[in-house]
Amino acid sequence: MERVGAARDLVLGYVRALNAIDEAMRVAIPSLERLADVLGLARSRRISRSGHIGTYSYTVHGAGCRFISGNGTEVDVDFEADGSEVFDLWRLRWYGLSLPDPLDVTDDDLRSAVRSLQPLLAEVRPGWFSVAS
């Protein structure tokens, strides 16, 4: 149970980090309505596919973006067609491993943690989660 608690803290930390990134990006790019708009800005070449915005470095990839904070913490997120932010267990594990005090948790513990956080989190398709609106 202690491992699931650590995994739950990791998931909540990821969600907080994602919210902080969203806020920082909106301050740095006032025209940004939602974080997913970073994809459109990169695709239209109004921003580079990788670079620095505010206190974060970023790299746009496929359907998402990886953000790295000043302390090296990585938050990788994909975006649905409607602009909602989605993530899977791999992204959660990678976030945990990038923390200043790395936290390595199993997929089973993460799965249990995510389930324990419903209805805060919703499974939008098998293995992919979003913060419920």
Side-chain angles (χ1 to χ4, degrees):
M1 194 59 158
E2 183 179 323
R3 291 187 346 233
V4 173
R8 183 181 165 107
D9 290 345
L10 184 148
V11 174
L12 290 172
Y14 176 93
V15 170
R16 281 191 299 274
L18 191 55
N19 288 336
I21 290 165
D22 182 51
E23 187 177 315
M25 292 298 140
R26 288 174 192 248
V27 168
I29 307 173
S31 65
L32 207 66
E33 291 183 26
R34 58 190 181 180
L35 193 55
D37 293 341
V38 168
L39 294 181
L41 291 173
R43 290 177 181 151
S44 67
R45 298 183 183 186
R46 292 181 27 216
I47 64 171
S48 173
R49 291 189 66 80
S50 63
H52 294 274
I53 297 178
T55 60
Y56 295 90
S57 64
Y58 71 93
T59 303
V60 171
H61 59 74
C65 193
R66 181 180 63 178
F67 297 93
I68 303 175
S69 70
N71 71 1
T73 301
E74 296 186 25
V75 174
D76 195 316
V77 62
D78 275 7
F79 303 103
E80 294 284 281
D82 67 0
S84 60
E85 301 151 354
V86 296
F87 49 90
D88 59 0
L89 300 181
W90 181 85
R91 283 165 177 75
L92 292 170
R93 283 197 76 216
W94 194 252
Y95 165 79
L97 293 171
S98 74
L99 293 170
D101 291 322
L103 183 58
D104 191 6
V105 295
T106 67
D107 284 354
D108 287 340
D109 289 342
L110 282 171
R111 203 171 285 108
S112 294
V114 169
R115 286 190 186 121
S116 77
L117 289 167
Q118 293 175 350
L120 170 66
L121 300 180
E123 190 166 7
V124 295
R125 61 181 187 268
W128 286 83
F129 307 92
S130 180
V131 176
S133 46

